[in-house]
Amino acid sequence: MAYYHELLKLCAFDETEIVSQKERIERTFQILELGPADMEKAVARIQKYFDTRLMGVRKAIGVWFKELFDLILCRYEGKKIIYYGYPPFQYIGLAIKAAAKSKNDFYVGCPEAIVSQTLGQFFHKLVPVLEAGEGAGLPPGHAMCSLLQVKVGALEKGIIPIPDLSIATSYFCDMGPKADELMQYKYGYPVEYIDSCLDSPWGLWPEYDHETVRYLGAQLDKLFCTLKNMFGIEINDYVWQQGRLIAGRLYKAINKLTRYLTADPVPLGVADSELILNFPIGCTGSVMDEGAEAIEILADEIGKRVQKGIGVVSKGSPRVLIVLQSISDPAVNRLIEDVGLAVPTTMALLPPPPEPESYPFSTLGEKRAEKAMFGGAYHSTYGMVKRIEASLKYAHVDGIIYNYPFSCRPFVCSNKLTKLHIEKETGLPTLLLDMDPQDERNYSQGSMRTRLEAFAEMLKQEKLRHKKSDIKSL
Amino acid sequence: MEAINKIKAHIMSGLNDLIQAKERGIKIIGYLPGGYFPEELAIAAGAMPVCMIRGGNHACVEASIAYIDRWLDTFYRAQIGSGVSGTDPYYNIIDVLIAPITDSNNRALSDTLDYHTDIDIFPFGVPHKKEESGYLYYLHGLKRVKIKLEQLTGVEITKERLKEAILLCNKERELLKKISLMRKTETVPITSKDFVMINHAAMIIDKKVLIRYLESLIQELQEADSVNSKGPRLLLTGSTLAMGDGKILDLIEEAGGKVVIEEFAEGIKFYWQNVKTTGDPIEALAQAYFTDRIVPAWFRPAGERLNHLVQLAKDFSVDGVIWYQLMYRESYKIESYYFPEILEKETGLSMLTLESDYDPSEIGQMRTRIETYLESIRG
Ligand code: SF4
């Protein structure tokens, strides 16, 4: 039996797939220098940190492997390669896919998310990639984004191919486009910087300056021109809708699952729900059908747990919103439940607040840019904070763990204001917890646990106090 | 030099001048450094522009901890510390703070001051790409600033007033350029410390007064001997060279180096080109301040700046380059990784990279590194 057989079986691959994909699987693992010992380690990690009793979880992990194979092999398989930065402009990758003549013409994705998710989460082998990134221009000790270190390191080590085009998230972050510039210098690939200005004053959101939308819109329209010139693909309103439709099944499944997650007791752990977070953000391939299927299965399984009142923490536990999960370290994701807190939702899963009426912008770029403004994060710090505040109405939580990547400047420049504002406006106690979703060398689980325990204790006392006062008022 | 002493004295009394001007009803327009706020707009509105360019104080960095994480650029953390704590008299005197938003670091300052203080903050975005759409957005921002200043001062910024202000600022730029170019020759009549000081003065003191002093200074320099003619000639570049952050220049001087040209988007006013005096003046400002100027490192891409550095190194016949940047300024940090290769290829020169968090404990190590670098240049 092949050395990876047990691992892939655990991840819900069927026998025929393992056989028919043999060449691809072995080539990928060879490029990544993953051998039998790594497979054993991955099996042990997956069994330890993920709820493998759930077929949906196993399938979701399997989909990550498929995305990994697609990424690593895309150059050998003759695809045109487009990377986009993180966070991506929603639906851009899918619109490219929809515009292509054939599904297999392009590889489009966010490689750093896929590499972190798989090499980190499952194989625990991200550090050499991070080190390669550190040595290639994003040095340690300077709060350089570890997600970008993964991207740069993976290119440097030659485990991911050099793309034909990179779409940089210049509308949100400074480090992402600068890292692309560095890579452009090193490898000579073209970069399209989608630029914008987060210059709206405090207090403006959801209003916005039309010119800000026009600028971002012009940038998007320029990207569409580049795509046409470079690859002959046309992105228009129709294609954009087709792109959205590709993700329709996936989003529907995610919505179904997230509704179950709000039950008390919360039926699924943070490490497991993390598996779905980056599906729509990081990938445009297998996740769209097989990922959707995995989540549908998971939602059914979780639905049954909800009916039976089964949860990962006891009923009535304090409920917290978290910002994000680690995309490389499932152990740290489990800490929150370990201290007795339930996580019914994350920031990415919060439903968007109702949108104000649209302005009749004329180009596709402008229309998409306006949507982004409503989303808050591309508007301003205030927009992001208000967006969270508005969505919190639907979250029914007792507190917030604002766990942010310490090396992500857009977070760092706003986290303390966010805490102050949210606590003032919603009364929800908020714990600022700096972490690193890609680099476990940058935090200590011990000190994180201590801080989480203290916060959990405070929330439990608070709950108890409310309970007592409810009894008195009866 | 008499003119130098006068400018220094004027800087010292600058705050009093502002207080007196304010008492006379003149509005004080604070602005963030980086060279994206045309002072001409404030002058044309009959107001006094003053750049928030003071830095170098570690106590201010420490004071910022309550309001912002440490993983942001040192200069902006220091500004947050001094601005929010109310200890900086300049923040207390300004009527508005014009904040050209360039990257996350100065956005953090703008937002934090807006949230924690009563300072009237006016952010406007600077695009990160030199394209037509970027130019138009910047122009839109300038028009918004113009309206804001008109509302604040009650003075209409007419084309005539703006043109007059442009002529005044052009004069200042020309004089700065003339003085700077005097350092191209082997005999260097002015130290970098003095040049940086007069450049900082151009961001905080009255232009008419400064122009008078600069004119006298040029006459004095034409007759002056060379200063420290023996040391290696250096180009000093980096992210921010704040007023009060003088240790880098002191250390270089003490080690026998001679900075003959500086390039900092924040801290050295751009003086290489004038604003056109024909056509629509606000468009001329946008053209000069956005399109014509050399970009900072946070542009995407910013190769133009690196080419400019290579050109400066050649034009000023330098023997080495010192890259002095502040902690956590990511764009500069990334460039400092790959620029040495370009520099080496184009000029054969090496580069020393230094970083500061305005912490006095850095000085010993910095001194050693500078001495070693200069030794290596001397061969
Ligand atoms: S710094 Fe933050 S926004 Fe920028 S690439 Fe890294 S994670 Fe994304």
Side-chain angles (χ1 to χ4, degrees):
Chain A
M1 223 179 307
Y3 64 96
Y4 45 81
H5 188 269
E6 189 189 350
L7 173 64
L8 296 188
K9 281 296 282 181
L10 178 65
C11 304
F13 275 64
D14 63 41
E15 290 292 347
T16 49
E17 262 178 320
I18 297 176
V19 174
S20 67
Q21 296 288 308
K22 181 174 182 287
E23 209 183 310
R24 298 184 81 228
I25 295 166
E26 288 180 2
R27 192 160 194 187
T28 302
F29 288 155
Q30 192 192 348
I31 292 168
L32 295 171
E33 295 175 0
L34 296 170
D38 297 303
M39 301 299 137
E40 269 177 41
K41 191 157 86 182
V43 168
R45 266 174 86 78
I46 290 169
Q47 283 171 338
K48 180 171 177 189
Y49 293 117
F50 298 94
D51 196 340
T52 49
R53 291 166 300 177
L54 298 165
M55 178 51 81
V57 164
R58 291 172 51 197
K59 275 196 174 288
I61 298 173
V63 171
W64 277 113
F65 278 108
K66 288 176 185 172
E67 285 288 349
L68 179 69
F69 302 151
D70 290 347
L71 165 65
I72 303 298
L73 301 176
C74 58
R75 179 63 73 202
Y76 302 103
E77 295 176 344
K79 290 180 183 163
K80 294 177 195 87
I81 305 170
I82 300 177
Y83 293 156
Y84 52 71
Y86 193 97
F89 208 90
Q90 203 185 12
Y91 297 121
I92 262 186
L94 290 171
I96 295 170
K97 282 281 186 95
K101 280 199 192 82
S102 144
K103 203 172 139 188
N104 290 324
D105 282 356
F106 285 89
Y107 173 82
V108 189
C110 181
E112 55 270 43
I114 297 169
V115 171
S116 303
Q117 188 76 39
T118 49
L119 276 192
Q121 193 94 261
F122 309 139
F123 291 104
H124 200 210
K125 279 197 106 169
L126 206 51
V127 170
V129 183
L130 287 160
E131 283 172 349
E134 288 171 348
L138 305 179
H142 292 83
M144 289 287 171
C145 168
S146 51
L147 193 63
L148 295 168
Q149 285 172 332
V150 170
K151 180 177 183 178
V152 172
L155 278 164
E156 195 67 10
K157 281 174 79 74
I159 58 179
I160 60 169
I162 293 166
D164 296 299
L165 176 70
S166 180
I167 303 172
T169 50
S170 179
Y171 41 87
F172 184 59
C173 151
D174 304 297
M175 220 183 312
K178 204 68 198 173
D180 262 312
E181 193 179 329
L182 166 71
M183 291 292 95
Q184 189 173 27
Y185 170 76
K186 284 194 131 191
Y187 298 112
Y189 63 71
V191 180
E192 190 67 52
Y193 301 88
I194 312 177
D195 192 34
S196 185
C197 293
L198 275 82
D199 59 348
S200 306
W202 195 263
L204 190 69
W205 192 84
E207 300 293 311
Y208 59 84
D209 184 339
H210 286 177
E211 292 308 313
T212 314
V213 168
R214 287 207 175 91
Y215 179 49
L216 179 53
Q219 294 290 304
L220 287 167
D221 290 329
K222 185 167 170 281
L223 168 69
F224 303 151
C225 278
T226 302
L227 291 169
K228 188 167 183 187
N229 293 338
M230 281 186 76
F231 306 108
I233 54 173
E234 180 107 35
I235 310 274
N236 52 32
D237 284 279
Y238 173 77
V239 165
W240 196 274
Q241 282 315 320
Q242 293 303 305
R244 290 188 60 155
L245 285 178
I246 296 176
R249 183 178 168 198
L250 179 70
Y251 279 114
K252 204 171 153 207
I254 290 175
N255 286 342
K256 188 174 173 191
L257 181 70
T258 49
R259 274 198 300 277
Y260 286 133
L261 290 185
T262 59
D264 187 13
V266 169
L268 189 69
V270 178
D272 299 306
S273 63
E274 189 283 331
L275 290 169
I276 60 168
L277 174 73
N278 276 320
F279 269 179
I281 305 175
C283 333
T284 61
S286 310
V287 297
M288 292 304 150
D289 37 31
E290 293 184 63
E293 189 196 343
I295 299 172
E296 285 161 359
I297 293 168
L298 184 59
D300 288 342
E301 292 174 314
I302 291 307
K304 286 182 191 132
R305 281 189 176 181
V306 171
Q307 276 171 4
K308 292 180 190 158
I310 297 171
V312 290
V313 284
S314 49
K315 190 173 165 68
S317 298
R319 296 156 69 83
V320 290
L321 166 89
I322 62 171
V323 173
L324 40 76
Q325 295 112 316
S326 169
I327 64 170
S328 66
D329 182 2
V332 81
N333 284 336
R334 294 190 61 148
L335 273 184
I336 303 175
E337 284 137 26
D338 286 355
V339 302
L341 296 176
V343 180
T345 190
T346 71
M347 203 149 88
L349 298 177
L350 282 177
E355 282 180 8
E357 212 175 304
S358 290
Y359 181 82
F361 284 108
S362 50
T363 72
L364 174 61
E366 288 171 351
K367 288 179 213 160
R368 301 324 307 167
E370 191 195 35
K371 290 266 174 218
M373 287 293 145
F374 291 151
Y378 306 140
H379 179 282
S380 58
T381 300
Y382 181 79
M384 191 158 104
V385 173
K386 290 301 280 186
R387 161 51 173 106
I388 302 170
E389 184 197 322
S391 297
L392 274 170
K393 283 192 200 113
Y394 312 99
H396 307 293
V397 289
D398 303 301
I400 298 170
I401 297 176
Y402 199 85
N403 55 336
Y404 64 96
F406 84 101
S407 56
C408 176
R409 297 295 192 282
F411 270 108
V412 166
C413 76
S414 61
N415 58 12
K416 289 197 176 169
L417 291 183
T418 307
K419 174 182 159 72
L420 284 175
H421 183 88
I422 296 280
E423 283 187 337
K424 191 166 141 224
E425 296 301 318
T426 66
L428 289 170
T430 301
L431 171 72
L432 281 184
L433 190 69
D434 53 327
M435 53 139 10
D436 190 324
Q438 290 76 230
D439 193 347
E440 61 180 13
R441 297 169 302 168
N442 285 331
Y443 52 84
S444 123
Q445 273 199 37
S447 72
M448 234 181 206
R449 176 184 282 274
T450 310
R451 293 173 68 192
L452 284 169
E453 276 170 350
F455 188 63
E457 200 45 47
M458 190 266 287
L459 289 183
K460 283 173 195 163
Q461 293 302 329
E462 197 61 13
K463 268 205 113 148
L464 214 62
R465 212 164 50 80
H466 276 128
K467 220 177 192 173
K468 278 186 191 153
S469 63
D470 285 350
I471 294 168
K472 268 187 215 148
S473 58
L474 281 176
Chain B
M1 262 174 240
E2 208 185 323
I4 293 277
N5 291 336
K6 280 185 180 164
I7 298 170
K8 274 186 191 156
H10 213 97
I11 290 177
M12 299 299 276
S13 65
L15 184 62
N16 275 338
D17 293 348
L18 291 176
I19 293 169
Q20 283 168 16
K22 198 162 169 113
E23 280 167 3
R24 294 198 307 275
I26 293 172
K27 298 290 180 194
I28 313 297
I29 314 300
Y31 68 92
L32 298 186
Y36 283 94
F37 169 65
E39 290 172 304
E40 285 91 336
L41 285 168
I43 294 166
M48 282 184 76
V50 57
C51 183
M52 313 313 275
I53 189 58
R54 282 155 305 281
N57 185 345
H58 194 58
C60 298
V61 177
E62 282 176 352
S64 72
I65 291 169
Y67 313 106
I68 198 86
D69 263 28
R70 65 178 282 223
W71 313 112
L72 280 174
D73 173 82
T74 308
F75 173 76
Y76 288 104
R77 275 182 288 137
Q79 294 294 313
I80 288 171
S82 55
V84 182
S85 61
T87 52
D88 183 331
Y90 284 87
Y91 274 108
N92 298 337
I93 199 172
I94 55 177
D95 292 289
V96 66
L97 178 65
I98 307 289
I101 301 298
T102 55
D103 68 4
S104 302
N105 297 283
N106 89 344
R107 183 159 67 92
L109 170 63
S110 167
D111 284 338
T112 310
L113 291 183
D114 208 338
Y115 192 85
H116 287 286
T117 72
D118 293 330
I119 299 169
D120 182 5
I121 311 281
F122 191 87
F124 78 100
V126 182
H128 309 88
K129 288 167 78 181
K130 276 190 186 177
E131 287 172 1
E132 179 65 7
S133 57
Y135 163 80
L136 290 174
Y137 191 67
Y138 180 72
L139 178 63
H140 167 72
L142 290 192
K143 287 179 180 167
R144 285 175 51 226
V145 173
K146 176 175 173 280
I147 294 168
K148 172 73 186 176
L149 295 179
E150 286 175 335
Q151 285 165 348
L152 186 76
T153 59
V155 174
E156 189 193 346
I157 302 176
T158 59
K159 286 189 176 173
E160 292 67 37
R161 289 182 72 95
L162 198 49
K163 202 170 159 191
E164 216 177 292
I166 289 171
L167 287 170
L168 185 71
C169 293
N170 277 351
K171 182 76 190 162
E172 183 190 72
R173 280 184 278 265
E174 277 161 21
L175 294 170
L176 286 171
K177 184 174 170 183
K178 197 165 180 185
I179 294 168
S180 185
L181 289 176
M182 285 179 170
R183 304 179 294 176
K184 266 181 147 181
T185 55
E186 205 172 320
T187 50
V188 178
I190 183 169
T191 64
S192 177
K193 266 165 79 177
D194 283 341
F195 183 78
V196 169
M197 184 274 294
I198 62 171
N199 196 294
H200 284 157
M203 293 181 233
I204 56 172
I205 71 174
D206 184 85
K207 302 240 167 291
K208 287 186 182 141
V209 175
L210 183 67
I211 285 170
R212 269 206 321 272
Y213 291 152
L214 292 180
E215 282 168 339
S216 336
L217 178 61
I218 287 172
Q219 280 187 357
E220 290 178 35
L221 291 175
Q222 277 159 350
E223 290 150 22
D225 292 332
S226 177
V227 287
N228 185 15
S229 60
K230 287 200 197 84
R233 297 169 64 89
L234 299 167
L235 158 62
L236 180 67
T237 185
S239 56
T240 312
L241 192 59
M243 192 173 154
D245 183 19
K247 69 173 179 298
I248 179 69
L249 289 166
D250 287 337
L251 290 173
I252 294 172
E253 204 174 281
E254 282 161 24
K258 186 168 54 179
V259 173
V260 293
I261 184 69
E262 314 78 8
E263 192 282 335
F264 288 82
E266 292 166 356
I268 293 293
K269 176 179 268 196
F270 192 74
Y271 51 78
W272 296 104
Q273 278 149 351
N274 270 345
V275 178
K276 283 197 192 87
T277 49
T278 50
D280 179 69
I282 197 145
E283 285 175 11
L285 287 176
Q287 177 73 27
Y289 279 80
F290 181 74
T291 310
D292 294 346
R293 66 164 281 177
I294 302 296
V295 301
W298 46 260
F299 250 70
R300 295 144 200 184
E304 179 193 326
R305 173 172 170 272
L306 301 181
N307 294 339
H308 177 62
L309 288 175
V310 166
Q311 199 54 48
L312 285 179
K314 288 178 181 168
D315 291 350
F316 283 78
S317 318
V318 303
D319 305 305
V321 175
I322 295 186
W323 182 290
Y324 171 73
Q325 70 159 91
L326 301 181
M327 287 299 285
Y328 310 124
R329 195 64 181 269
E330 66 273 45
S331 312
Y332 285 86
K333 184 68 203 163
I334 293 174
E335 275 191 359
S336 75
Y337 170 79
Y338 67 96
F339 179 58
E341 196 176 290
I342 299 173
L343 183 69
E344 226 273 318
K345 203 169 124 211
E346 298 291 328
T347 65
L349 296 172
S350 65
M351 181 174 110
L352 171 69
T353 306
L354 298 169
E355 273 169 278
S356 171
D357 205 29
Y358 292 164
D359 189 338
S361 69
E362 300 157 350
I363 290 178
Q365 205 210 30
M366 241 183 221
R367 183 194 308 277
T368 312
R369 295 193 58 209
I370 292 170
E371 284 170 354
T372 313
Y373 178 63
L374 294 186
E375 269 318 302
S376 74
I377 291 178
R378 288 188 186 105

